[in-house]
Amino acid sequence: MRHSYSFWKLFFLSPLTFGIYPLVKFTQMGDDIEALDHKSALPYWAVALFISPLTLGIFGLVWWHKICNRIGNLGPSNGFSAGSFWGWNILGSFILIGPLVFMWKLCNALNSLNGKTPAF
C-alpha cells in the first residue's frame, strides 16, 4: 500500500474542501485494497457521485460493506470488519459520535495493513 490515512486530516479537511478530500482518500483506499487482495472494485468517486444517488444510497451501503469486509479479511487481527461499518457508522449515527469512531477504526485498520503511521 502506498498511502497513509489520518483520521484528523479527514476530520478537518472534509468540511474545508467541501467533501473533495474524502472522495480522494476513499478512492485511494479502494486502490490500496485492490493492490493487496487483487480483486477489483468500483472507485469510490464513481460510487459516491453517480451510482449511489441513482440507487437511493443502497449501492453505497453495499460498497462500504464489501470494502470493510475485504479490510477485515486482509488483516483479521486488526478487529475491523463489515460489522464495524454497520455497528459504528450506521447504528452509531444514533449516538452522533459513531461515524467518527468508524472513521478512526478505518484509518487505524488501513494503517496497520500497510505498516505506516499517519503524519498528522
Side-chain angles (χ1 to χ4, degrees):
M1 289 178 43
R2 305 167 294 199
H3 302 98
S4 178
Y5 299 92
S6 170
F7 167 78
W8 295 110
K9 278 187 181 178
L10 273 173
F11 183 78
F12 288 115
L13 293 178
S14 294
L16 290 175
T17 61
F18 301 104
I20 294 172
Y21 185 75
L23 279 175
V24 171
K25 289 311 278 188
F26 294 150
T27 300
Q28 288 175 351
M29 175 190 70
D31 293 343
D32 285 348
I33 294 168
E34 282 182 29
L36 287 173
D37 68 0
H38 308 293
K39 295 178 187 174
S40 63
L42 286 171
Y44 180 75
W45 63 267
V47 172
L49 296 177
F50 301 111
I51 300 170
S52 190
L54 289 175
T55 61
L56 303 176
I58 302 288
F59 191 82
L61 294 174
V62 171
W63 188 89
W64 273 108
H65 173 86
K66 288 183 177 184
I67 289 293
C68 291
N69 195 36
R70 287 167 64 181
I71 293 169
N73 290 339
L74 287 169
S77 62
N78 62 21
F80 192 83
S81 67
S84 301
F85 167 70
W86 292 104
W88 284 111
N89 200 35
I90 303 301
L91 294 176
S93 63
F94 292 112
I95 60 170
L96 301 178
I97 197 168
L100 295 175
V101 173
F102 169 72
M103 284 298 142
W104 179 271
K105 291 175 71 73
L106 176 67
C107 290
N108 286 338
L110 289 169
N111 288 329
S112 72
L113 286 177
N114 67 8
K116 294 183 179 179
T117 58
F120 175 75

mmCIF file of all heavy atoms in Angstrom, residues 36-76:
data_model
loop_
_atom_site.group_PDB
_atom_site.id
_atom_site.type_symbol
_atom_site.label_atom_id
_atom_site.label_comp_id
_atom_site.label_asym_id
_atom_site.label_seq_id
_atom_site.Cartn_x
_atom_site.Cartn_y
_atom_site.Cartn_z
ATOM 1 N N LEU A 36 -3.684 -5.044 -2.586
ATOM 2 C CA LEU A 36 -3.385 -6.084 -1.603
ATOM 3 C C LEU A 36 -4.093 -7.406 -1.880
ATOM 4 O O LEU A 36 -3.490 -8.468 -1.740
ATOM 5 C CB LEU A 36 -3.757 -5.595 -0.199
ATOM 6 C CG LEU A 36 -2.834 -4.549 0.413
ATOM 7 C CD1 LEU A 36 -3.412 -4.045 1.718
ATOM 8 C CD2 LEU A 36 -1.454 -5.128 0.637
ATOM 9 N N ASP A 37 -5.372 -7.356 -2.234
ATOM 10 C CA ASP A 37 -6.085 -8.622 -2.402
ATOM 11 C C ASP A 37 -6.376 -8.976 -3.861
ATOM 12 O O ASP A 37 -6.975 -10.007 -4.140
ATOM 13 C CB ASP A 37 -7.364 -8.652 -1.571
ATOM 14 C CG ASP A 37 -8.443 -7.694 -2.046
ATOM 15 O OD1 ASP A 37 -8.223 -6.970 -3.041
ATOM 16 O OD2 ASP A 37 -9.513 -7.655 -1.409
ATOM 17 N N HIS A 38 -5.940 -8.135 -4.788
ATOM 18 C CA HIS A 38 -6.024 -8.404 -6.228
ATOM 19 C C HIS A 38 -7.455 -8.645 -6.705
ATOM 20 O O HIS A 38 -7.686 -9.427 -7.619
ATOM 21 C CB HIS A 38 -5.127 -9.575 -6.621
ATOM 22 C CG HIS A 38 -3.720 -9.412 -6.149
ATOM 23 N ND1 HIS A 38 -2.883 -8.436 -6.649
ATOM 24 C CD2 HIS A 38 -3.012 -10.073 -5.195
ATOM 25 C CE1 HIS A 38 -1.718 -8.525 -6.039
ATOM 26 N NE2 HIS A 38 -1.763 -9.501 -5.158
ATOM 27 N N LYS A 39 -8.417 -7.981 -6.069
ATOM 28 C CA LYS A 39 -9.809 -8.007 -6.514
ATOM 29 C C LYS A 39 -10.181 -6.590 -6.916
ATOM 30 O O LYS A 39 -9.796 -5.629 -6.263
ATOM 31 C CB LYS A 39 -10.732 -8.470 -5.385
ATOM 32 C CG LYS A 39 -10.509 -9.885 -4.945
ATOM 33 C CD LYS A 39 -11.432 -10.224 -3.805
ATOM 34 C CE LYS A 39 -11.136 -11.577 -3.226
ATOM 35 N NZ LYS A 39 -11.946 -11.846 -2.032
ATOM 36 N N SER A 40 -10.931 -6.462 -7.971
ATOM 37 C CA SER A 40 -11.289 -5.122 -8.426
ATOM 38 C C SER A 40 -12.548 -4.626 -7.720
ATOM 39 O O SER A 40 -13.372 -5.406 -7.242
ATOM 40 C CB SER A 40 -11.497 -5.104 -9.931
ATOM 41 O OG SER A 40 -12.583 -5.935 -10.272
ATOM 42 N N ALA A 41 -12.665 -3.312 -7.665
ATOM 43 C CA ALA A 41 -13.842 -2.659 -7.088
ATOM 44 C C ALA A 41 -14.054 -1.346 -7.819
ATOM 45 O O ALA A 41 -13.120 -0.773 -8.374
ATOM 46 C CB ALA A 41 -13.646 -2.412 -5.598
ATOM 47 N N LEU A 42 -15.269 -0.905 -7.821
ATOM 48 C CA LEU A 42 -15.543 0.402 -8.407
ATOM 49 C C LEU A 42 -14.851 1.486 -7.591
ATOM 50 O O LEU A 42 -14.813 1.399 -6.361
ATOM 51 C CB LEU A 42 -17.044 0.675 -8.419
ATOM 52 C CG LEU A 42 -17.860 -0.087 -9.445
ATOM 53 C CD1 LEU A 42 -19.340 0.124 -9.191
ATOM 54 C CD2 LEU A 42 -17.500 0.362 -10.832
ATOM 55 N N PRO A 43 -14.323 2.508 -8.241
ATOM 56 C CA PRO A 43 -13.714 3.594 -7.474
ATOM 57 C C PRO A 43 -14.782 4.351 -6.668
ATOM 58 O O PRO A 43 -15.922 4.496 -7.110
ATOM 59 C CB PRO A 43 -13.077 4.491 -8.535
ATOM 60 C CG PRO A 43 -13.636 4.062 -9.830
ATOM 61 C CD PRO A 43 -14.197 2.689 -9.669
ATOM 62 N N TYR A 44 -14.371 4.809 -5.503
ATOM 63 C CA TYR A 44 -15.323 5.456 -4.599
ATOM 64 C C TYR A 44 -15.963 6.687 -5.222
ATOM 65 O O TYR A 44 -17.146 6.935 -5.022
ATOM 66 C CB TYR A 44 -14.640 5.830 -3.281
ATOM 67 C CG TYR A 44 -15.593 6.492 -2.322
ATOM 68 C CD1 TYR A 44 -16.541 5.739 -1.654
ATOM 69 C CD2 TYR A 44 -15.568 7.866 -2.116
ATOM 70 C CE1 TYR A 44 -17.442 6.325 -0.800
ATOM 71 C CE2 TYR A 44 -16.462 8.465 -1.259
ATOM 72 C CZ TYR A 44 -17.397 7.691 -0.602
ATOM 73 O OH TYR A 44 -18.295 8.283 0.235
ATOM 74 N N TRP A 45 -15.209 7.457 -6.004
ATOM 75 C CA TRP A 45 -15.776 8.672 -6.582
ATOM 76 C C TRP A 45 -16.947 8.332 -7.497
ATOM 77 O O TRP A 45 -17.947 9.046 -7.523
ATOM 78 C CB TRP A 45 -14.721 9.499 -7.315
ATOM 79 C CG TRP A 45 -14.105 8.818 -8.504
ATOM 80 C CD1 TRP A 45 -12.970 8.070 -8.533
ATOM 81 C CD2 TRP A 45 -14.638 8.794 -9.835
ATOM 82 N NE1 TRP A 45 -12.744 7.585 -9.794
ATOM 83 C CE2 TRP A 45 -13.752 8.019 -10.625
ATOM 84 C CE3 TRP A 45 -15.747 9.352 -10.441
ATOM 85 C CZ2 TRP A 45 -13.961 7.788 -11.968
ATOM 86 C CZ3 TRP A 45 -15.950 9.112 -11.791
ATOM 87 C CH2 TRP A 45 -15.061 8.350 -12.539
ATOM 88 N N ALA A 46 -16.867 7.232 -8.238
ATOM 89 C CA ALA A 46 -17.968 6.835 -9.119
ATOM 90 C C ALA A 46 -19.176 6.382 -8.307
ATOM 91 O O ALA A 46 -20.319 6.695 -8.641
ATOM 92 C CB ALA A 46 -17.512 5.724 -10.056
ATOM 93 N N VAL A 47 -18.893 5.679 -7.218
ATOM 94 C CA VAL A 47 -19.980 5.220 -6.354
ATOM 95 C C VAL A 47 -20.676 6.413 -5.709
ATOM 96 O O VAL A 47 -21.908 6.523 -5.739
ATOM 97 C CB VAL A 47 -19.440 4.258 -5.269
ATOM 98 C CG1 VAL A 47 -20.507 3.931 -4.245
ATOM 99 C CG2 VAL A 47 -18.904 2.991 -5.901
ATOM 100 N N ALA A 48 -19.895 7.327 -5.138
ATOM 101 C CA ALA A 48 -20.466 8.450 -4.393
ATOM 102 C C ALA A 48 -21.175 9.461 -5.292
ATOM 103 O O ALA A 48 -22.215 10.005 -4.913
ATOM 104 C CB ALA A 48 -19.373 9.143 -3.592
ATOM 105 N N LEU A 49 -20.615 9.723 -6.463
ATOM 106 C CA LEU A 49 -21.168 10.786 -7.302
ATOM 107 C C LEU A 49 -22.252 10.319 -8.268
ATOM 108 O O LEU A 49 -23.130 11.109 -8.625
ATOM 109 C CB LEU A 49 -20.042 11.455 -8.095
ATOM 110 C CG LEU A 49 -18.998 12.184 -7.264
ATOM 111 C CD1 LEU A 49 -17.904 12.741 -8.169
ATOM 112 C CD2 LEU A 49 -19.623 13.285 -6.447
ATOM 113 N N PHE A 50 -22.205 9.059 -8.700
ATOM 114 C CA PHE A 50 -23.127 8.630 -9.742
ATOM 115 C C PHE A 50 -24.029 7.467 -9.336
ATOM 116 O O PHE A 50 -25.248 7.563 -9.429
ATOM 117 C CB PHE A 50 -22.349 8.255 -11.013
ATOM 118 C CG PHE A 50 -21.538 9.393 -11.551
ATOM 119 C CD1 PHE A 50 -20.156 9.358 -11.496
ATOM 120 C CD2 PHE A 50 -22.144 10.509 -12.086
ATOM 121 C CE1 PHE A 50 -19.400 10.405 -11.985
ATOM 122 C CE2 PHE A 50 -21.407 11.571 -12.564
ATOM 123 C CZ PHE A 50 -20.025 11.523 -12.515
ATOM 124 N N ILE A 51 -23.435 6.362 -8.906
ATOM 125 C CA ILE A 51 -24.209 5.136 -8.721
ATOM 126 C C ILE A 51 -25.074 5.184 -7.463
ATOM 127 O O ILE A 51 -26.244 4.826 -7.485
ATOM 128 C CB ILE A 51 -23.281 3.908 -8.708
ATOM 129 C CG1 ILE A 51 -22.532 3.848 -10.035
ATOM 130 C CG2 ILE A 51 -24.072 2.632 -8.483
ATOM 131 C CD1 ILE A 51 -21.423 2.851 -10.075
ATOM 132 N N SER A 52 -24.508 5.643 -6.359
ATOM 133 C CA SER A 52 -25.263 5.690 -5.111
ATOM 134 C C SER A 52 -26.496 6.602 -5.202
ATOM 135 O O SER A 52 -27.574 6.213 -4.742
ATOM 136 C CB SER A 52 -24.349 6.113 -3.962
ATOM 137 O OG SER A 52 -24.998 5.943 -2.734
ATOM 138 N N PRO A 53 -26.397 7.794 -5.783
ATOM 139 C CA PRO A 53 -27.616 8.605 -5.915
ATOM 140 C C PRO A 53 -28.691 7.945 -6.783
ATOM 141 O O PRO A 53 -29.884 8.082 -6.508
ATOM 142 C CB PRO A 53 -27.134 9.903 -6.560
ATOM 143 C CG PRO A 53 -25.701 9.989 -6.211
ATOM 144 C CD PRO A 53 -25.208 8.570 -6.160
ATOM 145 N N LEU A 54 -28.268 7.212 -7.808
ATOM 146 C CA LEU A 54 -29.241 6.534 -8.670
ATOM 147 C C LEU A 54 -29.966 5.402 -7.950
ATOM 148 O O LEU A 54 -31.104 5.077 -8.293
ATOM 149 C CB LEU A 54 -28.551 5.986 -9.922
ATOM 150 C CG LEU A 54 -28.092 7.025 -10.938
ATOM 151 C CD1 LEU A 54 -27.314 6.359 -12.065
ATOM 152 C CD2 LEU A 54 -29.282 7.791 -11.499
ATOM 153 N N THR A 55 -29.307 4.796 -6.974
ATOM 154 C CA THR A 55 -29.914 3.679 -6.237
ATOM 155 C C THR A 55 -30.411 4.109 -4.861
ATOM 156 O O THR A 55 -30.642 3.273 -3.993
ATOM 157 C CB THR A 55 -28.906 2.526 -6.083
ATOM 158 O OG1 THR A 55 -27.778 2.992 -5.342
ATOM 159 C CG2 THR A 55 -28.479 1.992 -7.429
ATOM 160 N N LEU A 56 -30.557 5.407 -4.671
ATOM 161 C CA LEU A 56 -31.037 5.980 -3.403
ATOM 162 C C LEU A 56 -30.172 5.574 -2.212
ATOM 163 O O LEU A 56 -30.661 5.356 -1.109
ATOM 164 C CB LEU A 56 -32.501 5.607 -3.161
ATOM 165 C CG LEU A 56 -33.477 6.032 -4.268
ATOM 166 C CD1 LEU A 56 -34.870 5.527 -3.973
ATOM 167 C CD2 LEU A 56 -33.467 7.539 -4.451
ATOM 168 N N GLY A 57 -28.884 5.441 -2.445
ATOM 169 C CA GLY A 57 -27.924 5.164 -1.380
ATOM 170 C C GLY A 57 -27.665 3.704 -1.102
ATOM 171 O O GLY A 57 -26.749 3.376 -0.350
ATOM 172 N N ILE A 58 -28.458 2.815 -1.698
ATOM 173 C CA ILE A 58 -28.309 1.386 -1.422
ATOM 174 C C ILE A 58 -26.948 0.872 -1.887
ATOM 175 O O ILE A 58 -26.272 0.140 -1.168
ATOM 176 C CB ILE A 58 -29.433 0.569 -2.094
ATOM 177 C CG1 ILE A 58 -30.798 1.037 -1.615
ATOM 178 C CG2 ILE A 58 -29.236 -0.925 -1.874
ATOM 179 C CD1 ILE A 58 -31.145 0.677 -0.218
ATOM 180 N N PHE A 59 -26.537 1.246 -3.098
ATOM 181 C CA PHE A 59 -25.267 0.742 -3.610
ATOM 182 C C PHE A 59 -24.097 1.250 -2.775
ATOM 183 O O PHE A 59 -23.109 0.537 -2.598
ATOM 184 C CB PHE A 59 -25.062 1.124 -5.081
ATOM 185 C CG PHE A 59 -23.905 0.406 -5.705
ATOM 186 C CD1 PHE A 59 -24.063 -0.880 -6.181
ATOM 187 C CD2 PHE A 59 -22.658 1.000 -5.784
ATOM 188 C CE1 PHE A 59 -22.992 -1.564 -6.736
ATOM 189 C CE2 PHE A 59 -21.581 0.325 -6.344
ATOM 190 C CZ PHE A 59 -21.752 -0.963 -6.820
ATOM 191 N N GLY A 60 -24.181 2.447 -2.240
ATOM 192 C CA GLY A 60 -23.130 2.962 -1.366
ATOM 193 C C GLY A 60 -22.963 2.108 -0.118
ATOM 194 O O GLY A 60 -21.846 1.824 0.315
ATOM 195 N N LEU A 61 -24.084 1.680 0.450
ATOM 196 C CA LEU A 61 -24.020 0.796 1.623
ATOM 197 C C LEU A 61 -23.393 -0.544 1.272
ATOM 198 O O LEU A 61 -22.580 -1.076 2.033
ATOM 199 C CB LEU A 61 -25.426 0.583 2.192
ATOM 200 C CG LEU A 61 -26.125 1.809 2.786
ATOM 201 C CD1 LEU A 61 -27.555 1.459 3.160
ATOM 202 C CD2 LEU A 61 -25.363 2.344 3.974
ATOM 203 N N VAL A 62 -23.766 -1.085 0.117
ATOM 204 C CA VAL A 62 -23.199 -2.368 -0.328
ATOM 205 C C VAL A 62 -21.700 -2.221 -0.569
ATOM 206 O O VAL A 62 -20.905 -3.086 -0.172
ATOM 207 C CB VAL A 62 -23.925 -2.874 -1.595
ATOM 208 C CG1 VAL A 62 -23.222 -4.073 -2.198
ATOM 209 C CG2 VAL A 62 -25.376 -3.195 -1.277
ATOM 210 N N TRP A 63 -21.294 -1.115 -1.212
ATOM 211 C CA TRP A 63 -19.875 -0.883 -1.490
ATOM 212 C C TRP A 63 -19.080 -0.810 -0.194
ATOM 213 O O TRP A 63 -18.035 -1.452 -0.068
ATOM 214 C CB TRP A 63 -19.694 0.408 -2.286
ATOM 215 C CG TRP A 63 -18.306 0.634 -2.766
ATOM 216 C CD1 TRP A 63 -17.766 0.211 -3.938
ATOM 217 C CD2 TRP A 63 -17.251 1.349 -2.087
ATOM 218 N NE1 TRP A 63 -16.451 0.616 -4.033
ATOM 219 C CE2 TRP A 63 -16.117 1.317 -2.913
ATOM 220 C CE3 TRP A 63 -17.173 2.012 -0.869
ATOM 221 C CZ2 TRP A 63 -14.914 1.913 -2.555
ATOM 222 C CZ3 TRP A 63 -15.978 2.611 -0.513
ATOM 223 C CH2 TRP A 63 -14.862 2.562 -1.354
ATOM 224 N N TRP A 64 -19.556 -0.044 0.780
ATOM 225 C CA TRP A 64 -18.846 0.066 2.058
ATOM 226 C C TRP A 64 -18.798 -1.276 2.780
ATOM 227 O O TRP A 64 -17.782 -1.625 3.395
ATOM 228 C CB TRP A 64 -19.496 1.121 2.956
ATOM 229 C CG TRP A 64 -18.959 2.478 2.703
ATOM 230 C CD1 TRP A 64 -19.590 3.517 2.083
ATOM 231 C CD2 TRP A 64 -17.657 2.967 3.059
ATOM 232 N NE1 TRP A 64 -18.758 4.599 2.030
ATOM 233 C CE2 TRP A 64 -17.564 4.297 2.617
ATOM 234 C CE3 TRP A 64 -16.555 2.401 3.687
ATOM 235 C CZ2 TRP A 64 -16.428 5.059 2.802
ATOM 236 C CZ3 TRP A 64 -15.428 3.160 3.870
ATOM 237 C CH2 TRP A 64 -15.368 4.481 3.432
ATOM 238 N N HIS A 65 -19.886 -2.038 2.744
ATOM 239 C CA HIS A 65 -19.901 -3.359 3.376
ATOM 240 C C HIS A 65 -18.810 -4.246 2.784
ATOM 241 O O HIS A 65 -18.045 -4.884 3.521
ATOM 242 C CB HIS A 65 -21.275 -4.010 3.202
ATOM 243 C CG HIS A 65 -21.326 -5.423 3.672
ATOM 244 N ND1 HIS A 65 -21.585 -5.751 4.983
ATOM 245 C CD2 HIS A 65 -21.138 -6.598 3.020
ATOM 246 C CE1 HIS A 65 -21.553 -7.069 5.116
ATOM 247 N NE2 HIS A 65 -21.282 -7.603 3.930
ATOM 248 N N LYS A 66 -18.730 -4.277 1.462
ATOM 249 C CA LYS A 66 -17.736 -5.133 0.797
ATOM 250 C C LYS A 66 -16.312 -4.671 1.082
ATOM 251 O O LYS A 66 -15.432 -5.491 1.341
ATOM 252 C CB LYS A 66 -17.993 -5.163 -0.709
ATOM 253 C CG LYS A 66 -19.217 -5.961 -1.086
ATOM 254 C CD LYS A 66 -19.384 -6.026 -2.578
ATOM 255 C CE LYS A 66 -20.564 -6.885 -2.946
ATOM 256 N NZ LYS A 66 -20.705 -7.044 -4.397
ATOM 257 N N ILE A 67 -16.076 -3.365 1.039
ATOM 258 C CA ILE A 67 -14.727 -2.845 1.301
ATOM 259 C C ILE A 67 -14.310 -3.141 2.739
ATOM 260 O O ILE A 67 -13.179 -3.587 2.995
ATOM 261 C CB ILE A 67 -14.661 -1.333 1.002
ATOM 262 C CG1 ILE A 67 -14.734 -1.097 -0.502
ATOM 263 C CG2 ILE A 67 -13.427 -0.694 1.608
ATOM 264 C CD1 ILE A 67 -13.539 -1.598 -1.285
ATOM 265 N N CYS A 68 -15.205 -2.912 3.692
ATOM 266 C CA CYS A 68 -14.864 -3.186 5.096
ATOM 267 C C CYS A 68 -14.644 -4.673 5.331
ATOM 268 O O CYS A 68 -13.768 -5.056 6.113
ATOM 269 C CB CYS A 68 -15.959 -2.646 6.011
ATOM 270 S SG CYS A 68 -16.040 -0.848 6.046
ATOM 271 N N ASN A 69 -15.403 -5.500 4.655
ATOM 272 C CA ASN A 69 -15.214 -6.945 4.760
ATOM 273 C C ASN A 69 -13.849 -7.345 4.205
ATOM 274 O O ASN A 69 -13.153 -8.184 4.784
ATOM 275 C CB ASN A 69 -16.338 -7.675 4.026
ATOM 276 C CG ASN A 69 -16.411 -9.129 4.393
ATOM 277 O OD1 ASN A 69 -16.162 -9.488 5.531
ATOM 278 N ND2 ASN A 69 -16.749 -9.952 3.424
ATOM 279 N N ARG A 70 -13.440 -6.739 3.086
ATOM 280 C CA ARG A 70 -12.126 -7.034 2.498
ATOM 281 C C ARG A 70 -11.000 -6.589 3.419
ATOM 282 O O ARG A 70 -9.991 -7.287 3.559
ATOM 283 C CB ARG A 70 -12.003 -6.365 1.137
ATOM 284 C CG ARG A 70 -12.836 -7.047 0.080
ATOM 285 C CD ARG A 70 -12.992 -6.257 -1.186
ATOM 286 N NE ARG A 70 -11.733 -6.060 -1.879
ATOM 287 C CZ ARG A 70 -11.626 -5.375 -3.011
ATOM 288 N NH1 ARG A 70 -12.695 -4.827 -3.554
ATOM 289 N NH2 ARG A 70 -10.454 -5.228 -3.585
ATOM 290 N N ILE A 71 -11.149 -5.439 4.073
ATOM 291 C CA ILE A 71 -10.134 -4.978 5.022
ATOM 292 C C ILE A 71 -10.023 -5.963 6.171
ATOM 293 O O ILE A 71 -8.924 -6.310 6.608
ATOM 294 C CB ILE A 71 -10.465 -3.564 5.540
ATOM 295 C CG1 ILE A 71 -10.361 -2.538 4.415
ATOM 296 C CG2 ILE A 71 -9.549 -3.174 6.686
ATOM 297 C CD1 ILE A 71 -10.911 -1.170 4.773
ATOM 298 N N GLY A 72 -11.172 -6.426 6.669
ATOM 299 C CA GLY A 72 -11.165 -7.406 7.756
ATOM 300 C C GLY A 72 -10.527 -8.722 7.355
ATOM 301 O O GLY A 72 -9.825 -9.353 8.145
ATOM 302 N N ASN A 73 -10.757 -9.150 6.113
ATOM 303 C CA ASN A 73 -10.159 -10.405 5.635
ATOM 304 C C ASN A 73 -8.655 -10.275 5.437
ATOM 305 O O ASN A 73 -7.919 -11.245 5.611
ATOM 306 C CB ASN A 73 -10.816 -10.850 4.330
ATOM 307 C CG ASN A 73 -12.232 -11.322 4.530
ATOM 308 O OD1 ASN A 73 -12.630 -11.686 5.635
ATOM 309 N ND2 ASN A 73 -13.015 -11.293 3.477
ATOM 310 N N LEU A 74 -8.197 -9.087 5.057
ATOM 311 C CA LEU A 74 -6.763 -8.877 4.853
ATOM 312 C C LEU A 74 -5.998 -8.848 6.173
ATOM 313 O O LEU A 74 -4.857 -9.269 6.240
ATOM 314 C CB LEU A 74 -6.514 -7.575 4.087
ATOM 315 C CG LEU A 74 -6.867 -7.604 2.608
ATOM 316 C CD1 LEU A 74 -6.825 -6.201 2.033
ATOM 317 C CD2 LEU A 74 -5.924 -8.521 1.861
ATOM 318 N N GLY A 75 -6.607 -8.313 7.193
ATOM 319 C CA GLY A 75 -5.942 -8.218 8.493
ATOM 320 C C GLY A 75 -6.887 -8.563 9.615
ATOM 321 O O GLY A 75 -7.371 -7.681 10.325
ATOM 322 N N PRO A 76 -7.197 -9.854 9.788
ATOM 323 C CA PRO A 76 -8.175 -10.225 10.813
ATOM 324 C C PRO A 76 -7.753 -9.840 12.231
ATOM 325 O O PRO A 76 -8.597 -9.681 13.107
ATOM 326 C CB PRO A 76 -8.310 -11.739 10.678
ATOM 327 C CG PRO A 76 -7.253 -12.181 9.751
ATOM 328 C CD PRO A 76 -6.671 -10.988 9.074
#
